[in-house]
Amino acid sequence: MNIENAMKESMSIAGAVGVALVDYESGMSLGTSGGGDWLNLEVAAAGNTDVVRSKLRVMSALALNDSIEDILITLHRQYHLIRLLDSVSARSSLFLYLVLDRDQANLALARHYLKRIETELQI
């Protein structure tokens, strides 16, 4: 699955509002889909790069011998799901950022679908 197909698949998840594939080393988006006037995916991707970097620093400071699967930010009307990609061997600094409408989304299914997309994604 290429980036464009991964974005389309992610947007087919129930409740999906926007999605981005992001490199947290550079803060740049490799692909986006959805979003809109109130959700600038480029700004959100760059901001969530800081979230990922911060969590990785904390894990390092605590000497945790583990890796991040995903990070969930819960708002009153939205879920913001950050899934770090382990299956993409070419680049280990990538994450999928998915914004879901909380009233329409099933968080467990969304996490399941993102995991499947991760395993099929080819960069």
Side-chain angles (χ1 to χ4, degrees), residues 3-14:
I3 294 171
E4 182 179 339
N5 289 339
M7 298 296 97
K8 286 180 185 175
E9 286 283 322
S10 297
M11 286 302 293
S12 73
I13 296 170

Side-chain angles (χ1 to χ4, degrees), residues 16-122:
V17 175
V19 64
L21 177 65
V22 185
D23 180 343
Y24 65 77
E25 287 181 354
S26 68
M28 301 297 293
S29 296
L30 302 176
T32 63
S33 185
D37 292 339
W38 61 270
L39 178 60
N40 182 325
L41 285 170
E42 295 296 328
V43 172
N48 282 297
T49 294
D50 292 335
V51 171
V52 172
R53 289 177 185 161
S54 178
K55 187 58 188 171
L56 290 171
R57 278 192 306 272
V58 170
M59 289 177 62
S60 177
L62 294 172
L64 297 177
N65 187 21
D66 209 343
S67 60
I68 300 170
E69 186 172 332
D70 56 38
I71 299 169
L72 174 64
I73 300 167
T74 305
L75 305 178
H76 290 287
R77 293 185 297 252
Q78 300 168 2
Y79 293 123
H80 291 235
L81 187 57
I82 300 168
R83 173 144 189 111
L84 275 70
L85 305 185
D86 284 334
S87 299
V88 182
S89 59
R91 309 218 18 209
S92 62
S93 62
L94 299 178
F95 67 88
L96 280 167
Y97 169 62
L98 179 65
V99 178
L100 299 161
D101 180 310
R102 195 168 165 171
D103 290 336
Q104 299 176 19
N106 179 318
L107 186 56
L109 281 176
R111 291 182 70 224
H112 173 76
Y113 288 134
L114 279 185
K115 186 174 184 175
R116 183 185 54 78
I117 291 166
E118 172 192 359
T119 61
E120 295 177 10
L121 180 60
Q122 299 292 319

